[in-house]
Amino acid sequence: MVAGAIYTAVAFLQRSETLITERCTAVGSGGDDLATDQAANAALITAVAVRRGLPARAASIALATSMQESKLRNIGHGDQAGPDSRGLFQQRPSQGWGTTAQVMDPYHASNAFYDALVEISGYQSLDITDAAQQVQHSAYPGAYAQHEGMARAFASALSGQTPAGLDCSLRSPDTAGDPAAVTAKLTAALGDVPTSTDGRTLIVEADGTQAWTVAQWAVANAKALSIISVEVDGQAWNRQSRDGWQPAQVPAGQVRVTVADTPAS
């Protein structure tokens, strides 16, 4: 009887897991959720802006552009308008954006986009679609406008301007996480940040906006990096509970990112 009950409970949980639609949402996005791979790319694009000291407006323009050009995915093909277009922004090597390998590198592609954006006088005061068009020179100049709401919401959350602004609904991880892998990805995105480890928890020394940038970057990357909880500034995001950010006791000046242990068979 006990064994049967346990089996039934496990089977129920397994079925429940399969019913979860893995998505990420940002406060104020108006229901424009992102798939987990899109959210991770949005976090990378925004992190590059933060690392460069650019305002959230720059990230908003970049996210709207990438959503229109590639659906926020690092795709390895172009279209009839640009058969050699590649990457997050569909940049063309033939138009000076870099080699094919470079435009397929999300870090290079993001930096190349921002390099062009900051050359536009007064870009921060332009409509997002106008600024995007001046960088991209698209055959469909008005197309970027449809992504403005999503772009502003995710840029605000991922740049730390909206604390507790990003949430991802995820299934339980099926592989163990590695704090060293989280550190490597975080450093690649945001540069050197003071870190240490405590078992399966990565501890990042940060506060204020930077702390929320790190924390919400971690939530956006939780799927790929098997992150199960993120704690910051008196709040915690827990992958298993799936109830968004909740009050928690967190040491001041720290972001605590915990990864999964080896899943039970």
Side-chain angles (χ1 to χ4, degrees), residues 80-102:
Q80 291 181 346
D84 66 333
S85 300
R86 299 289 186 275
L88 288 171
F89 297 92
Q90 286 290 277
Q91 294 159 334
R92 299 182 66 182
S94 63
Q95 294 186 352
W97 288 101
T99 66
T100 299
Q102 285 175 326

PDB file of all heavy atoms in Angstrom, residues 80-102:
ATOM      1  N   GLN A  80      16.000  36.494 -47.746  1.00  0.00           N
ATOM      2  CA  GLN A  80      16.185  37.036 -49.089  1.00  0.00           C
ATOM      3  C   GLN A  80      16.733  38.455 -49.066  1.00  0.00           C
ATOM      4  O   GLN A  80      17.478  38.862 -49.959  1.00  0.00           O
ATOM      5  CB  GLN A  80      14.854  36.996 -49.845  1.00  0.00           C
ATOM      6  CG  GLN A  80      14.394  35.582 -50.197  1.00  0.00           C
ATOM      7  CD  GLN A  80      13.095  35.588 -50.972  1.00  0.00           C
ATOM      8  OE1 GLN A  80      12.401  36.597 -51.038  1.00  0.00           O
ATOM      9  NE2 GLN A  80      12.770  34.457 -51.575  1.00  0.00           N
ATOM     10  N   ALA A  81      16.363  39.221 -48.028  1.00  0.00           N
ATOM     11  CA  ALA A  81      16.859  40.589 -47.935  1.00  0.00           C
ATOM     12  C   ALA A  81      18.334  40.642 -47.573  1.00  0.00           C
ATOM     13  O   ALA A  81      19.029  41.598 -47.914  1.00  0.00           O
ATOM     14  CB  ALA A  81      16.039  41.374 -46.910  1.00  0.00           C
ATOM     15  N   GLY A  82      18.802  39.610 -46.886  1.00  0.00           N
ATOM     16  CA  GLY A  82      20.206  39.566 -46.476  1.00  0.00           C
ATOM     17  C   GLY A  82      20.660  38.131 -46.347  1.00  0.00           C
ATOM     18  O   GLY A  82      20.675  37.579 -45.243  1.00  0.00           O
ATOM     19  N   PRO A  83      20.993  37.487 -47.453  1.00  0.00           N
ATOM     20  CA  PRO A  83      21.331  36.063 -47.395  1.00  0.00           C
ATOM     21  C   PRO A  83      22.549  35.737 -46.535  1.00  0.00           C
ATOM     22  O   PRO A  83      22.684  34.614 -46.076  1.00  0.00           O
ATOM     23  CB  PRO A  83      21.580  35.706 -48.865  1.00  0.00           C
ATOM     24  CG  PRO A  83      21.847  37.014 -49.546  1.00  0.00           C
ATOM     25  CD  PRO A  83      21.043  38.024 -48.825  1.00  0.00           C
ATOM     26  N   ASP A  84      23.406  36.723 -46.294  1.00  0.00           N
ATOM     27  CA  ASP A  84      24.555  36.460 -45.427  1.00  0.00           C
ATOM     28  C   ASP A  84      24.314  36.962 -44.003  1.00  0.00           C
ATOM     29  O   ASP A  84      25.230  36.988 -43.185  1.00  0.00           O
ATOM     30  CB  ASP A  84      25.832  37.070 -46.012  1.00  0.00           C
ATOM     31  CG  ASP A  84      25.800  38.602 -46.056  1.00  0.00           C
ATOM     32  OD1 ASP A  84      24.691  39.172 -46.134  1.00  0.00           O
ATOM     33  OD2 ASP A  84      26.885  39.216 -46.021  1.00  0.00           O
ATOM     34  N   SER A  85      23.082  37.363 -43.671  1.00  0.00           N
ATOM     35  CA  SER A  85      22.752  37.822 -42.320  1.00  0.00           C
ATOM     36  C   SER A  85      22.852  36.672 -41.331  1.00  0.00           C
ATOM     37  O   SER A  85      22.449  35.549 -41.622  1.00  0.00           O
ATOM     38  CB  SER A  85      21.338  38.407 -42.281  1.00  0.00           C
ATOM     39  OG  SER A  85      21.209  39.495 -43.161  1.00  0.00           O
ATOM     40  N   ARG A  86      23.340  36.999 -40.142  1.00  0.00           N
ATOM     41  CA  ARG A  86      23.526  35.965 -39.128  1.00  0.00           C
ATOM     42  C   ARG A  86      23.322  36.549 -37.720  1.00  0.00           C
ATOM     43  O   ARG A  86      23.443  37.745 -37.494  1.00  0.00           O
ATOM     44  CB  ARG A  86      24.944  35.369 -39.185  1.00  0.00           C
ATOM     45  CG  ARG A  86      25.329  34.681 -40.486  1.00  0.00           C
ATOM     46  CD  ARG A  86      24.594  33.366 -40.665  1.00  0.00           C
ATOM     47  NE  ARG A  86      25.055  32.632 -41.847  1.00  0.00           N
ATOM     48  CZ  ARG A  86      24.600  32.820 -43.082  1.00  0.00           C
ATOM     49  NH1 ARG A  86      23.675  33.735 -43.312  1.00  0.00           N
ATOM     50  NH2 ARG A  86      25.071  32.111 -44.091  1.00  0.00           N
ATOM     51  N   GLY A  87      23.037  35.651 -36.775  1.00  0.00           N
ATOM     52  CA  GLY A  87      23.114  35.999 -35.366  1.00  0.00           C
ATOM     53  C   GLY A  87      21.902  36.692 -34.786  1.00  0.00           C
ATOM     54  O   GLY A  87      20.835  36.780 -35.396  1.00  0.00           O
ATOM     55  N   LEU A  88      22.078  37.200 -33.578  1.00  0.00           N
ATOM     56  CA  LEU A  88      20.992  37.817 -32.821  1.00  0.00           C
ATOM     57  C   LEU A  88      20.400  39.037 -33.508  1.00  0.00           C
ATOM     58  O   LEU A  88      19.211  39.334 -33.362  1.00  0.00           O
ATOM     59  CB  LEU A  88      21.496  38.233 -31.435  1.00  0.00           C
ATOM     60  CG  LEU A  88      21.774  37.122 -30.424  1.00  0.00           C
ATOM     61  CD1 LEU A  88      22.478  37.688 -29.204  1.00  0.00           C
ATOM     62  CD2 LEU A  88      20.485  36.435 -30.018  1.00  0.00           C
ATOM     63  N   PHE A  89      21.221  39.759 -34.272  1.00  0.00           N
ATOM     64  CA  PHE A  89      20.766  40.991 -34.914  1.00  0.00           C
ATOM     65  C   PHE A  89      20.750  40.872 -36.434  1.00  0.00           C
ATOM     66  O   PHE A  89      20.559  41.866 -37.124  1.00  0.00           O
ATOM     67  CB  PHE A  89      21.650  42.163 -34.489  1.00  0.00           C
ATOM     68  CG  PHE A  89      21.598  42.453 -33.010  1.00  0.00           C
ATOM     69  CD1 PHE A  89      22.514  41.875 -32.135  1.00  0.00           C
ATOM     70  CD2 PHE A  89      20.620  43.286 -32.487  1.00  0.00           C
ATOM     71  CE1 PHE A  89      22.462  42.141 -30.779  1.00  0.00           C
ATOM     72  CE2 PHE A  89      20.558  43.558 -31.129  1.00  0.00           C
ATOM     73  CZ  PHE A  89      21.482  42.969 -30.270  1.00  0.00           C
ATOM     74  N   GLN A  90      20.953  39.660 -36.942  1.00  0.00           N
ATOM     75  CA  GLN A  90      21.003  39.445 -38.390  1.00  0.00           C
ATOM     76  C   GLN A  90      21.961  40.438 -39.058  1.00  0.00           C
ATOM     77  O   GLN A  90      21.645  41.106 -40.047  1.00  0.00           O
ATOM     78  CB  GLN A  90      19.612  39.535 -38.988  1.00  0.00           C
ATOM     79  CG  GLN A  90      18.740  38.318 -38.679  1.00  0.00           C
ATOM     80  CD  GLN A  90      19.216  37.064 -39.412  1.00  0.00           C
ATOM     81  OE1 GLN A  90      18.908  36.841 -40.569  1.00  0.00           O
ATOM     82  NE2 GLN A  90      19.994  36.228 -38.724  1.00  0.00           N
ATOM     83  N   GLN A  91      23.149  40.518 -38.490  1.00  0.00           N
ATOM     84  CA  GLN A  91      24.176  41.408 -39.026  1.00  0.00           C
ATOM     85  C   GLN A  91      24.873  40.746 -40.217  1.00  0.00           C
ATOM     86  O   GLN A  91      25.065  39.529 -40.234  1.00  0.00           O
ATOM     87  CB  GLN A  91      25.187  41.750 -37.925  1.00  0.00           C
ATOM     88  CG  GLN A  91      24.559  42.579 -36.808  1.00  0.00           C
ATOM     89  CD  GLN A  91      25.331  42.519 -35.504  1.00  0.00           C
ATOM     90  OE1 GLN A  91      26.041  41.545 -35.225  1.00  0.00           O
ATOM     91  NE2 GLN A  91      25.184  43.548 -34.685  1.00  0.00           N
ATOM     92  N   ARG A  92      25.263  41.556 -41.190  1.00  0.00           N
ATOM     93  CA  ARG A  92      25.818  41.032 -42.431  1.00  0.00           C
ATOM     94  C   ARG A  92      27.334  41.272 -42.492  1.00  0.00           C
ATOM     95  O   ARG A  92      27.791  42.428 -42.482  1.00  0.00           O
ATOM     96  CB  ARG A  92      25.143  41.694 -43.627  1.00  0.00           C
ATOM     97  CG  ARG A  92      23.646  41.456 -43.691  1.00  0.00           C
ATOM     98  CD  ARG A  92      23.034  42.085 -44.928  1.00  0.00           C
ATOM     99  NE  ARG A  92      23.532  41.429 -46.138  1.00  0.00           N
ATOM    100  CZ  ARG A  92      23.195  41.815 -47.375  1.00  0.00           C
ATOM    101  NH1 ARG A  92      22.387  42.852 -47.551  1.00  0.00           N
ATOM    102  NH2 ARG A  92      23.677  41.173 -48.420  1.00  0.00           N
ATOM    103  N   PRO A  93      28.116  40.213 -42.564  1.00  0.00           N
ATOM    104  CA  PRO A  93      29.558  40.391 -42.752  1.00  0.00           C
ATOM    105  C   PRO A  93      29.888  41.253 -43.968  1.00  0.00           C
ATOM    106  O   PRO A  93      30.849  42.032 -43.938  1.00  0.00           O
ATOM    107  CB  PRO A  93      30.062  38.951 -42.925  1.00  0.00           C
ATOM    108  CG  PRO A  93      29.084  38.135 -42.153  1.00  0.00           C
ATOM    109  CD  PRO A  93      27.754  38.806 -42.382  1.00  0.00           C
ATOM    110  N   SER A  94      29.096  41.165 -45.013  1.00  0.00           N
ATOM    111  CA  SER A  94      29.357  41.939 -46.231  1.00  0.00           C
ATOM    112  C   SER A  94      29.141  43.435 -46.030  1.00  0.00           C
ATOM    113  O   SER A  94      29.549  44.242 -46.870  1.00  0.00           O
ATOM    114  CB  SER A  94      28.458  41.445 -47.370  1.00  0.00           C
ATOM    115  OG  SER A  94      27.083  41.659 -47.061  1.00  0.00           O
ATOM    116  N   GLN A  95      28.509  43.811 -44.911  1.00  0.00           N
ATOM    117  CA  GLN A  95      28.287  45.224 -44.626  1.00  0.00           C
ATOM    118  C   GLN A  95      29.122  45.713 -43.447  1.00  0.00           C
ATOM    119  O   GLN A  95      28.829  46.740 -42.845  1.00  0.00           O
ATOM    120  CB  GLN A  95      26.798  45.481 -44.371  1.00  0.00           C
ATOM    121  CG  GLN A  95      25.943  45.259 -45.614  1.00  0.00           C
ATOM    122  CD  GLN A  95      24.496  45.639 -45.415  1.00  0.00           C
ATOM    123  OE1 GLN A  95      24.054  45.934 -44.304  1.00  0.00           O
ATOM    124  NE2 GLN A  95      23.731  45.625 -46.503  1.00  0.00           N
ATOM    125  N   GLY A  96      30.164  44.959 -43.129  1.00  0.00           N
ATOM    126  CA  GLY A  96      31.139  45.439 -42.161  1.00  0.00           C
ATOM    127  C   GLY A  96      30.862  45.152 -40.703  1.00  0.00           C
ATOM    128  O   GLY A  96      31.510  45.720 -39.814  1.00  0.00           O
ATOM    129  N   TRP A  97      29.939  44.240 -40.419  1.00  0.00           N
ATOM    130  CA  TRP A  97      29.622  43.934 -39.024  1.00  0.00           C
ATOM    131  C   TRP A  97      30.626  42.968 -38.395  1.00  0.00           C
ATOM    132  O   TRP A  97      30.590  42.733 -37.187  1.00  0.00           O
ATOM    133  CB  TRP A  97      28.217  43.349 -38.915  1.00  0.00           C
ATOM    134  CG  TRP A  97      27.135  44.362 -39.137  1.00  0.00           C
ATOM    135  CD1 TRP A  97      26.406  44.548 -40.277  1.00  0.00           C
ATOM    136  CD2 TRP A  97      26.657  45.335 -38.203  1.00  0.00           C
ATOM    137  NE1 TRP A  97      25.506  45.575 -40.119  1.00  0.00           N
ATOM    138  CE2 TRP A  97      25.640  46.077 -38.852  1.00  0.00           C
ATOM    139  CE3 TRP A  97      26.994  45.657 -36.895  1.00  0.00           C
ATOM    140  CZ2 TRP A  97      24.956  47.118 -38.229  1.00  0.00           C
ATOM    141  CZ3 TRP A  97      26.305  46.685 -36.262  1.00  0.00           C
ATOM    142  CH2 TRP A  97      25.308  47.397 -36.917  1.00  0.00           C
ATOM    143  N   GLY A  98      31.502  42.400 -39.178  1.00  0.00           N
ATOM    144  CA  GLY A  98      32.466  41.421 -38.678  1.00  0.00           C
ATOM    145  C   GLY A  98      32.434  40.179 -39.542  1.00  0.00           C
ATOM    146  O   GLY A  98      31.669  40.076 -40.504  1.00  0.00           O
ATOM    147  N   THR A  99      33.265  39.224 -39.192  1.00  0.00           N
ATOM    148  CA  THR A  99      33.256  37.953 -39.906  1.00  0.00           C
ATOM    149  C   THR A  99      31.999  37.166 -39.535  1.00  0.00           C
ATOM    150  O   THR A  99      31.294  37.505 -38.580  1.00  0.00           O
ATOM    151  CB  THR A  99      34.487  37.125 -39.545  1.00  0.00           C
ATOM    152  OG1 THR A  99      34.405  36.758 -38.154  1.00  0.00           O
ATOM    153  CG2 THR A  99      35.782  37.898 -39.784  1.00  0.00           C
ATOM    154  N   THR A 100      31.740  36.108 -40.275  1.00  0.00           N
ATOM    155  CA  THR A 100      30.593  35.259 -39.949  1.00  0.00           C
ATOM    156  C   THR A 100      30.709  34.723 -38.526  1.00  0.00           C
ATOM    157  O   THR A 100      29.718  34.706 -37.772  1.00  0.00           O
ATOM    158  CB  THR A 100      30.486  34.098 -40.952  1.00  0.00           C
ATOM    159  OG1 THR A 100      30.290  34.628 -42.266  1.00  0.00           O
ATOM    160  CG2 THR A 100      29.319  33.185 -40.601  1.00  0.00           C
ATOM    161  N   ALA A 101      31.907  34.284 -38.159  1.00  0.00           N
ATOM    162  CA  ALA A 101      32.104  33.771 -36.795  1.00  0.00           C
ATOM    163  C   ALA A 101      31.846  34.860 -35.764  1.00  0.00           C
ATOM    164  O   ALA A 101      31.267  34.602 -34.699  1.00  0.00           O
ATOM    165  CB  ALA A 101      33.515  33.216 -36.648  1.00  0.00           C
ATOM    166  N   GLN A 102      32.244  36.080 -36.052  1.00  0.00           N
ATOM    167  CA  GLN A 102      32.059  37.166 -35.091  1.00  0.00           C
ATOM    168  C   GLN A 102      30.589  37.525 -34.910  1.00  0.00           C
ATOM    169  O   GLN A 102      30.124  37.698 -33.774  1.00  0.00           O
ATOM    170  CB  GLN A 102      32.850  38.394 -35.541  1.00  0.00           C
ATOM    171  CG  GLN A 102      34.343  38.274 -35.317  1.00  0.00           C
ATOM    172  CD  GLN A 102      35.113  39.451 -35.878  1.00  0.00           C
ATOM    173  OE1 GLN A 102      34.751  40.022 -36.910  1.00  0.00           O
ATOM    174  NE2 GLN A 102      36.183  39.830 -35.200  1.00  0.00           N
TER     175      GLN A 102
END
